[in-house]
Amino acid sequence: MKKILVIGAGGQIGSELVLALRHRFGADAVIASDVKENCPDVLEGGAYAQLDILDREKVRKYIIEESVNEVYLLAALLSATAEKNPDFAWKLNMEGLFTILDLAKEGYLKKVFWPSSIAVFGPTTPRVNTPQYTVMEPSTVYGISKQAGERWCEYYFNKFNVDVRSIRYPGLISYTSLPGGGTTDYAVDIFYKAKKDGRYDCFLSADTQLPMMYMEDAIRASIELMEAPKESVKIRSSYNLSGCSFTPKQIAEKINKHLPDFKISYSPDFRQAIADSWPMSIDDSHAREDWNWKEEFNEEKIVEIMLNNVNPELV
Ligand code: NAD
Ligand code: SER
């Protein structure tokens, strides 16, 4: 029987992933957990455990005693927050991964999902249609931690047969929960500000093109990868995954079709250098070939859904 633990469930991805997993496998099969003391309202339909992934012994005890056999490990500091606190970002992003990989190595976990990011690429990577296998010299602490994590995932698979699966998520766009401190957060913020103030001052320049994806696609991809037959999962570092790619100027133009008075201005900050080191678009042909990945949401659909659903009171 499946017993899934989602660690970092209170964040942008976790709060939607837990609901999707409960819908698919039943509420009893999915435990949400986070360092936050109280269960986020949206996750109240099932079990919640307050767990700090850095408390290795407590996490081990919980997983063993509750007979958890699958983990989705989402707890991490994202790119912009990590640059402000590099030591802690390295600690959080790496130590938690080892705790979970070791439990899988010891046979307690059958499968592990751990997300990587487009941040594994760097300024020397080809930026257009970035291939799965290419130069990878990340220049952020976040990117370095994700690249190291990918290497360790592949190592644990090769040496210890740990069934770990991973996706290099692009920037994720959603309206149920606010993003947690990334460089791609502008592509969520813009919708809140468009509805609330009719204007948005963007922290990236007009023509900064980045890969993006609607959350529903990202959640579906994660579950499809986890449910794919083991032999289909040929990449054990992390899969490139593509949804769409756009610039702040292009997304503002699409918003203008719905809100003609909306205005955007640009005040690039430290996040511009991060964005400039990342791909503009992604080649995800391996994910398409190995486990039949296909995105469903393009920019037009995303803009329409976001404008219809964001609650401007949240910001
Ligand atoms: P988020 O910041 O929104 O959520 C992270 C959650 O982890 C938060 O609820 C936080 O309380 C929790 N957490 C923090 N420290 C913890 C600890 N010590 N123990 C337990 N929980 C802790 O992040 P997210 O956007 O949901 O991202 C989840 C994962 O996906 C991360 O690994 C991130 O790097 C990756 N990712 C996200 C994106 C994106 O656009 N959102 C893109 C690429 C990769
Ligand atoms: N959305 C993430 C970030 O900007 C990409 O990993 O940090």
Side-chain angles (χ1 to χ4, degrees):
M1 200 189 125
K2 255 189 205 300
K3 192 85 177 277
I4 302 172
L5 178 68
V6 180
I7 300 174
Q12 191 196 6
I13 299 174
S15 52
E16 297 202 28
L17 177 66
V18 168
L19 298 187
L21 289 169
R22 284 181 179 157
H23 181 71
R24 173 132 183 200
F25 301 112
D28 292 346
V30 184
I31 306 165
S33 81
D34 202 284
V35 73
K36 293 172 184 165
E37 191 177 339
N38 297 319
C39 176
D41 293 349
V42 65
L43 302 180
E44 273 173 356
Y48 179 78
Q50 185 198 9
L51 284 177
D52 178 351
I53 188 60
L54 292 176
D55 189 341
R56 183 176 165 97
E57 286 317 310
K58 188 171 169 190
V59 171
R60 283 183 62 84
K61 193 162 178 280
Y62 186 85
I63 285 177
I64 294 168
E65 283 181 2
E66 294 297 321
S67 305
V68 169
N69 48 30
E70 271 183 36
V71 164
Y72 288 72
L73 173 55
L74 305 179
L77 283 200
L78 275 77
S79 58
T81 317
E83 286 308 297
K84 293 180 181 160
N85 199 349
D87 293 351
F88 181 69
W90 178 256
K91 185 178 168 69
L92 177 64
N93 295 7
M94 298 310 299
E95 283 184 16
L97 177 60
F98 281 116
T99 297
I100 298 306
L101 289 178
D102 285 339
L103 280 159
K105 174 183 159 188
E106 291 164 42
Y108 292 110
L109 298 173
K110 285 203 186 101
K111 274 190 249 179
V112 174
F113 179 83
W114 172 83
S116 185
S117 160
I118 52 167
V120 291
F121 301 112
T124 51
T125 301
R127 294 186 69 208
V128 177
N129 268 334
T130 300
Q132 175 73 38
Y133 300 105
T134 184
V135 180
M136 293 165 87
E137 297 185 313
S139 52
T140 60
V141 64
Y142 176 68
I144 295 168
S145 73
K146 290 294 184 187
Q147 195 197 39
E150 286 192 9
R151 298 288 87 228
W152 280 111
C153 287
E154 193 183 87
Y155 185 88
Y156 269 67
F157 173 75
N158 286 334
K159 295 278 174 183
F160 312 122
N161 200 24
V162 165
D163 191 353
V164 55
R165 306 174 182 210
S166 177
I167 286 172
R168 292 173 181 152
Y169 289 136
L172 300 181
I173 303 178
S174 65
Y175 62 84
T176 54
S177 158
L178 294 171
T183 301
T184 57
D185 289 12
Y186 93 83
V188 176
D189 300 344
I190 193 169
F191 295 101
Y192 286 91
K193 295 286 166 45
K195 273 179 89 171
K196 191 173 181 177
D197 306 328
R199 54 188 314 113
Y200 178 61
D201 191 34
C202 186
F203 58 76
L204 298 181
S205 64
D207 296 321
T208 308
Q209 185 179 322
L210 288 170
M212 299 282 181
M213 180 175 284
Y214 186 56
M215 186 63 82
E216 202 174 308
D217 269 346
I219 301 287
R220 183 172 52 81
S222 311
I223 298 176
E224 281 176 7
L225 175 61
M226 282 295 269
E227 292 306 304
K230 196 172 175 186
E231 59 280 8
S232 305
V233 185
K234 297 187 180 119
I235 292 175
R236 296 300 182 146
S237 51
S238 191
Y239 276 95
N240 273 10
L241 201 72
S242 171
C244 53
S245 275
F246 54 77
T247 66
K249 189 171 165 214
Q250 288 166 340
I251 206 73
E253 284 166 2
K254 293 209 161 52
I255 292 176
N256 275 136
K257 292 192 179 143
H258 301 261
L259 303 173
D261 294 333
F262 170 68
K263 297 259 180 315
I264 186 164
S265 53
Y266 303 94
S267 305
D269 66 13
F270 72 100
R271 290 168 280 194
Q272 184 66 47
I274 300 178
D276 288 342
S277 76
W278 287 356
M280 298 162 73
S281 55
I282 295 286
D283 172 5
D284 63 358
S285 45
H286 286 270
R288 288 172 196 270
E289 277 157 30
D290 290 359
W291 43 277
N292 301 319
W293 160 249
K294 175 135 182 44
E295 78 288 352
E296 284 178 2
F297 293 84
N298 61 20
E299 295 99 293
E300 278 78 16
K301 262 195 195 172
I302 295 173
V303 169
E304 196 180 325
I305 294 171
M306 290 298 284
L307 287 176
N308 283 336
N309 289 284
V310 291
N311 173 7
E313 302 306 317
L314 284 183
V315 292

